[in-house]
Amino acid sequence: RRAPEEQVGAGKMATASAVAPAPVCVLVLGMAGSGKTTFVQRLAAHLHGQRCAPYVINLDPAVHDLPFPANIDIRDTVKYKEVMKQYGLGPNGGIVTSLNLFATRFDQVMKFIEKRQNASKYVLIDTPGQIEVFTWSASGTIITEALASSFPSVVVYVMDTSRSTNPITFMSNMLYACSILYKTKLPFIVVMNKTDIIDHSFAVEWMQDFETFQDALNQETSYVSNLTRSMSLVLDEFYSSLKVVGVSAVLGTGLDDFFVQLSKAVDEYEREYRPEYERLRKTLEKAQNKQKREQLEHLWKDMGSVCVQGNTLAGPDDASAMGPSELILTRGALDEEEERESDTDDIDHEVTEESHEEPAFRNFMQETRMKYQR
């Protein structure tokens, strides 16, 4: 038998597991070839090594082979090539349309995540390289808002560091990241991938020191360099609050720093973003309740007008002088009685002891049924 202290400790552990915190949804975005899928694979392997199995979702319908097992795979639901044939689309249009179709059933994905929220601490979501899905398409908004309204959610933008050594290319990546940040309105982490090829310190220096970036731009003489110089002034505020981590998805370096930044992003969500989503949810609930009340008020008015018309057909002591709720119950009872009786002539000519003015009451009920049938 366990000692009393051990029993108390076991009870605390059971209570903690019963009220386990909601899983953190990590939405991995990035351009094609930036290493998103490899990064998700490395994250999943790292978490499995810590005996913290994540819940993995693949949203890329055009991927041939996944290097990790996915709990939910969009390819099992939407056939990418069939979508292209049916709608006459190209590769990019087929991917966007496939994700739009999948987003219409994302409520089912949310139910699966809710069932596993006590077993998985993290939900890893791999996305296609078509960033326009989450910047311009409706599916990106549906997915991010559905996740963020129920779970702590963080957007991770994976960036190919080896291809960003040119200041103009670097600025293009930063503009993409900025657009995604303001579109999703969620905590944001920039993962500078492929640090095994080139260290990301140069990019961090460009973000922190404006003059260093200007010196790199001075080597460029095109019109785009002048535009980039102007845009770099605009992004200073964006850089000041941006979380940046250098990672090698191939070697697995930098993951500890990534999870430190992820923890800070979750705290930021709880502090700044969750209250906003709670406010939006309450606003939506109030709007829905208001709409329901207005519909009920219209229904009561309609029912009241029917009762007034019924009173003109019968005397003051007639059974038709009932409220709307009694009328609905009576009408339901009459419908059940009509289903039991096959001969409608018997019902029409049936006279009860309680109703002394049966013809007027019968006319009133017939008018009521005709009104609701219309």
Side-chain angles (χ1 to χ4, degrees), residues 250-298:
V250 175
L251 301 180
T253 57
L255 291 184
D256 292 335
D257 294 337
F258 170 76
F259 279 100
V260 170
Q261 296 296 333
L262 183 61
S263 178
K264 293 180 180 179
V266 172
D267 293 338
E268 180 184 354
Y269 170 86
E270 297 290 347
R271 184 178 61 256
E272 299 181 7
Y273 292 87
R274 183 182 287 277
E276 181 66 17
Y277 277 101
E278 291 293 336
R279 185 187 66 80
L280 292 176
R281 181 185 298 176
K282 291 180 181 179
T283 303
L284 180 61
E285 290 178 354
K286 288 181 180 179
Q288 292 176 347
N289 292 334
K290 182 180 179 182
Q291 184 179 7
K292 290 180 180 178
R293 287 196 301 269
E294 290 177 352
Q295 292 176 350
L296 287 175
E297 288 176 0
H298 287 306

Side-chain angles (χ1 to χ4, degrees), residues 225-244:
S225 64
N226 295 329
L227 178 62
T228 303
R229 186 175 290 105
S230 301
M231 294 302 298
S232 62
L233 293 171
V234 178
L235 292 182
D236 269 346
E237 184 178 355
F238 172 66
Y239 292 151
S240 62
S241 58
L242 191 63
K243 301 177 180 63
V244 180

Side-chain angles (χ1 to χ4, degrees), residues 97-124:
T97 303
S98 297
L99 203 55
N100 287 341
L101 293 172
F102 187 78
T104 60
R105 296 292 182 269
F106 202 76
D107 57 330
Q108 300 178 15
V109 177
M110 295 296 296
K111 293 179 181 178
F112 284 119
I113 298 176
E114 291 172 357
K115 291 180 180 179
R116 287 292 303 270
Q117 63 180 356
N118 292 329
S120 299
K121 188 178 179 180
Y122 296 96
V123 178
L124 307 180

